[in-house]
Amino acid sequence: MDIDFIIPWVDGSDPIWIEEFNEYSPKKKNLSIDILNERYRENGLLRYWFRGIEKNAPWVRKIFFVTSGQKPEWLNLNHHKLVWVKHSDFIPQEYLPTFSCRPIHIHLHKIKGLSDNFVLFDDDMYILNPINKDYYFKYNLPKDYALLRPIKIPDFYSHVIINNMIEVNKHFNKSEVMKKNLGKYFNFRYGLRHFIPTYYISRVNNFPGFFYKHFSQPFLRNTFEDVWHHCSEVLEATSHNRFRTIADVSSGLFRYWQLSRGNFSPETPGKHRRKYNVSISNVRQIQKTIENKYIKELCLNDTDCPDECYLNILESFDKIFPQISSFEV
């Protein structure tokens, strides 16, 4: 089974990018649009993403590095596994330029040469220790967990999750889905702590929401084609939004679609994974996690924290990945 990785990336400190960003960004404050600095900040850790992949997932077929046309000076674009993809290579011109990850994510299946099985990373997700293909896929299906959860009181991102669930409930009957995939919705791998909420929530008529997951996500390419076939109107509307808005759908829609189709293999939630919102108060804990031999994946959700936080984190990454990778020149 061939598995590809996709990692979109942006350098928000690039003067050319900043000029274009300022040209299109709203001139007045708009609470329905997200243009926070942390969405675009380059924290200097990208090279460690590549070092982690080379050391811990050498079986990956191709890595698709997706940008607006930016590229780090140190990146070896001649590497046989690396494919540098510009937005204009797969996103229709009418939606460009875009400063939102959502139009990028929902068009990924159009990338030329992409395998049928792929994993989508954000650039804040790192593989710390060795993983096999079955970390992401089993029986040729993405590994995931179908845990029902109510959506929290709406904030900016919750609105997007609601939009995702509206589309899911338009096209799937929850009772039929759960009956057909009973062993996947009530699976021993989830544990009692996760089983109980799903059991009680399963009594409601529609899908209320799914347990939030913010780690690298395995996908079937045909899932994207299926969603586009059924939800083209909302996907096209999202594609037109150059910045994140509360009216968008996200890549979560494709994940929820796989869960609703039953196209997944159950896994234990959060096993060997850790996620942090980076702050001054938890930098030391993050450093300990990076150096932990049992944690497979780490997500460092960027916040409005000082750059100094990342200097300490960088030291720990350099400790576990001291050698430059073949992706670096």
Side-chain angles (χ1 to χ4, degrees):
M1 178 173 54
D2 289 331
I3 300 175
D4 292 338
F5 289 170
I6 301 178
I7 176 169
W9 179 79
V10 62
D11 180 4
S13 65
D14 174 17
I16 297 176
W17 182 90
I18 292 173
E19 182 178 353
E20 189 172 45
F21 178 92
N22 290 334
E23 178 183 349
Y24 287 94
S25 64
K27 306 305 178 185
K28 295 182 179 180
K29 186 175 182 180
N30 188 335
L31 296 179
S32 68
I33 295 178
D34 180 1
I35 54 174
L36 293 174
N37 176 62
E38 51 262 36
R39 303 298 182 204
Y40 312 103
R41 179 163 62 168
E42 159 54 15
N43 55 33
L45 299 180
L46 181 65
R47 64 177 72 240
Y48 297 103
W49 184 88
F50 280 98
R51 292 183 190 185
I53 297 303
E54 180 166 84
K55 181 178 180 180
N56 298 315
W59 43 263
V60 65
R61 188 187 73 106
K62 294 289 184 181
I63 295 173
F64 291 86
F65 183 65
V66 179
T67 78
S68 63
Q70 297 175 312
K71 56 182 184 295
E73 292 182 359
W74 51 264
L75 189 62
N76 176 17
L77 296 179
N78 294 318
H79 195 288
H80 68 283
K81 285 190 175 184
L82 183 64
V83 182
W84 178 36
V85 183
K86 291 175 281 189
H87 297 166
S88 57
D89 292 334
F90 67 101
I91 302 176
Q93 189 60 42
E94 63 187 292
Y95 306 135
L96 298 176
T98 184
F99 306 93
S100 167
C101 63
R102 289 161 188 162
I104 299 169
H105 288 167
I106 65 181
H107 289 276
L108 290 175
H109 63 296
K110 298 177 182 177
I111 293 177
K112 185 178 180 180
L114 182 67
S115 66
D116 292 335
N117 303 299
F118 66 90
V119 182
L120 174 60
F121 286 79
D122 286 344
D123 63 0
D124 60 359
M125 301 169 182
Y126 307 90
I127 301 301
L128 302 180
N129 289 292
I131 58 173
N132 297 318
K133 290 184 178 182
D134 61 9
Y135 181 80
Y136 290 117
F137 289 88
K138 188 174 183 180
Y139 309 124
N140 214 35
L141 291 175
K143 293 179 71 173
D144 209 332
Y145 32 87
L147 301 172
L148 301 183
R149 292 293 185 275
I151 299 173
K152 296 180 180 179
I153 297 174
D155 55 16
F156 191 96
Y157 190 69
S158 294
H159 280 289
V160 177
I161 298 176
I162 291 171
N163 298 338
N164 293 339
M165 295 313 305
I166 288 173
E167 294 303 311
V168 167
N169 284 306
K170 280 182 183 178
H171 297 93
F172 294 95
N173 180 290
K174 182 180 70 64
S175 296
E176 292 179 2
V177 168
M178 296 191 72
K179 287 178 182 178
K180 185 177 180 180
N181 301 283
L182 193 63
K184 293 187 175 183
Y185 276 77
F186 298 101
N187 192 277
F188 70 93
R189 293 176 180 84
Y190 302 156
L192 187 62
R193 179 169 66 92
H194 291 294
F195 172 87
I196 293 175
T198 297
Y199 173 74
Y200 282 105
I201 296 172
S202 66
R203 301 180 181 185
V204 302
N205 291 329
N206 295 323
F207 285 107
F210 288 100
F211 190 84
Y212 182 65
K213 180 183 181 184
H214 189 58
F215 293 102
S216 54
Q217 177 64 43
F219 284 112
L220 299 174
R221 186 170 183 167
N222 60 22
T223 296
F224 281 66
E225 296 166 350
D226 192 17
V227 176
W228 268 97
H229 177 71
H230 290 90
C231 309
S232 60
E233 184 175 346
V234 69
L235 292 172
E236 288 173 0
T238 297
S239 298
H240 278 290
N241 295 329
R242 300 189 191 278
F243 299 90
R244 297 187 187 203
T245 79
I246 60 175
D248 294 338
V249 291
S250 70
S251 62
L253 172 59
F254 300 91
R255 177 189 171 224
Y256 302 159
W257 201 272
Q258 286 183 162
L259 297 178
S260 302
R261 284 282 189 217
N263 289 336
F264 70 99
S265 180
E267 68 169 347
T268 303
K271 188 177 182 181
H272 304 306
R273 298 181 173 111
R274 296 291 184 274
K275 175 182 174 292
Y276 296 94
N277 293 323
V278 180
S279 67
I280 295 175
S281 62
N282 65 10
V283 166
R284 183 56 192 146
Q285 183 59 43
I286 292 172
Q287 289 182 282
K288 290 181 179 178
T289 299
I290 292 173
E291 298 170 28
N292 187 316
K293 298 295 184 182
Y294 298 98
I295 303 301
K296 303 291 187 182
E297 184 174 6
L298 171 67
C299 176
L300 297 178
N301 195 37
D302 200 358
T303 59
D304 191 20
C305 64
D307 291 339
E308 288 75 15
C309 291
Y310 285 100
L311 294 178
N312 293 323
I313 293 172
L314 188 148
E315 289 180 2
S316 291
F317 270 116
D318 205 47
K319 186 179 294 185
I320 65 169
F321 301 132
Q323 303 296 324
I324 68 170
S325 70
S326 59
F327 293 97
E328 301 170 63
V329 294

